Amino acid sequence: MLKIRDVKKNFGDLQVLKGVDLNVDKGDVVAILGPSGSGKTTFLRCINFLETADSGTMVFDGETYNMSRVSKKEIGRIRRKTAFVFQNFNLFLNKTALENVTEGLIVARKIPKAQAIDKGRKALGKVGLSDRSDYYPHQLSGGQQQRVAIARAIAADPEILFFDEPTSALDPELIGEVLEVMRNLAQEGMTMLVVTHEMNFAKNVSTKVIFMENGQVAEAGNSREFFENPRGERTREFLRLVNV
């Protein structure tokens, strides 16, 4: 479904990604793990072209893209099949939960308003917020705001959902409600790439893990094998540090 090869990215003299590969099959939940500064978020942003890689190749739905020279038209084609959930929600503060979900459908995808509202209400229901559709972001908890952001993403019917540390901005007591929504999406077969520090989610929900360090993939494989029988000493040290 998605194949990434040899992604490299520099910021000035700093080489953040040093040739990263990834294979994703339909229905995979890929947990992208690693210490801070390992390149996880940059890699995810390059895949969705929020950052432009210096080199790399993407094969997505049978089409091949040069990640350093991709056109705006090609990016638009890719983004119509994907959705991105950010750390800090990125909601419109002057719009209700429902309006936040429908805005992109109406403006960017040109879906008729009535149809967009129907899709928006269904998406809010899926994340447990049917009774909060008319609430503004300031009336919602952090966990509820992130669930609105997830509803906005799934309302677009993406083939792949990208999550960039979706619980990192939340208080501990609110993390569980967001992870539960993600767990339900995984059980429904949604293909997801998740940059996360939530080891229990990675261990119990993901199907694949890639462990990054210093801009490279230090270890990758089946989630169960990764956690039960890590091959690398650095991987074992990381898992000890995070108490897994």
Side-chain angles (χ1 to χ4, degrees):
M1 183 178 188
L2 177 67
K3 182 188 294 184
I4 305 291
R5 289 293 178 270
D6 199 30
V7 176
K8 297 178 181 177
K9 176 66 179 177
N10 287 16
F11 290 108
D13 295 331
L14 179 63
Q15 191 175 15
V16 179
L17 299 176
K18 303 175 183 178
V20 181
D21 298 341
L22 174 67
N23 289 329
V24 181
D25 295 317
K26 185 174 177 61
D28 276 346
V29 179
V30 183
I32 304 174
L33 309 180
S36 297
S38 59
K40 306 183 300 295
T41 289
T42 299
F43 178 54
L44 196 70
R45 290 175 65 87
C46 284
I47 295 175
N48 204 43
F49 301 98
L50 296 169
E51 301 281 356
T52 302
D54 296 321
S55 66
T57 302
M58 170 188 287
V59 180
F60 180 39
D61 271 3
E63 296 190 67
T64 301
Y65 303 91
N66 181 329
M67 295 178 68
S68 65
R69 294 201 299 257
V70 66
S71 68
K72 289 184 178 179
K73 184 177 181 179
E74 288 173 324
I75 291 173
R77 193 157 65 241
I78 292 165
R79 287 184 178 167
R80 280 193 292 273
K81 300 177 181 179
T82 64
F84 201 102
V85 178
F86 297 87
Q87 294 181 32
N88 294 311
F89 324 141
N90 284 14
L91 300 180
F92 295 110
L93 300 181
N94 63 334
K95 295 185 181 296
T96 65
L98 181 60
E99 289 169 339
N100 266 284
V101 175
T102 61
E103 182 76 6
L105 300 177
I106 295 168
V107 175
R109 300 186 181 234
K110 310 301 182 184
I111 293 176
K113 186 174 181 179
Q115 183 182 344
I117 289 174
D118 182 60
K119 290 173 72 71
R121 291 192 185 281
K122 288 178 180 177
L124 286 171
K126 184 168 280 193
V127 301
L129 291 175
S130 295
D131 61 342
R132 296 291 189 271
S133 62
D134 295 327
Y135 283 51
Y136 288 88
H138 74 272
Q139 297 173 302
L140 300 171
S141 69
Q144 290 170 332
Q145 290 183 60
Q146 189 61 295
R147 284 190 280 155
V148 172
I150 295 173
R152 177 179 59 192
I154 62 177
D157 297 321
E159 294 181 22
I160 300 180
L161 261 178
F162 300 113
F163 291 86
D164 181 18
E165 299 192 27
T167 60
S168 65
L170 301 178
D171 293 332
E173 65 270 18
L174 301 177
I175 290 173
E177 64 189 59
V178 172
L179 293 179
E180 181 64 24
V181 168
M182 295 171 65
R183 186 178 296 108
N184 290 340
L185 290 173
Q187 290 173 348
E188 293 172 7
M190 175 64 73
T191 306
M192 301 190 286
L193 272 64
V194 186
V195 172
T196 184
H197 292 291
E198 297 294 334
M199 292 300 112
N200 285 332
F201 176 87
K203 184 176 182 179
N204 298 316
V205 180
S206 72
T207 59
K208 295 180 181 176
V209 170
I210 67 170
F211 172 61
M212 294 184 63
E213 188 172 43
N214 297 323
Q216 298 175 303
V217 176
E219 189 165 335
N222 173 277
S223 295
R224 177 174 293 180
E225 293 175 1
F226 177 87
F227 284 102
E228 294 182 358
N229 189 31
R231 297 187 299 273
E233 176 54 37
R234 182 63 187 97
T235 309
R236 290 192 288 270
E237 180 185 356
F238 173 78
L239 293 176
R240 284 196 298 270
L241 289 172
V242 294
N243 297 315
V244 175

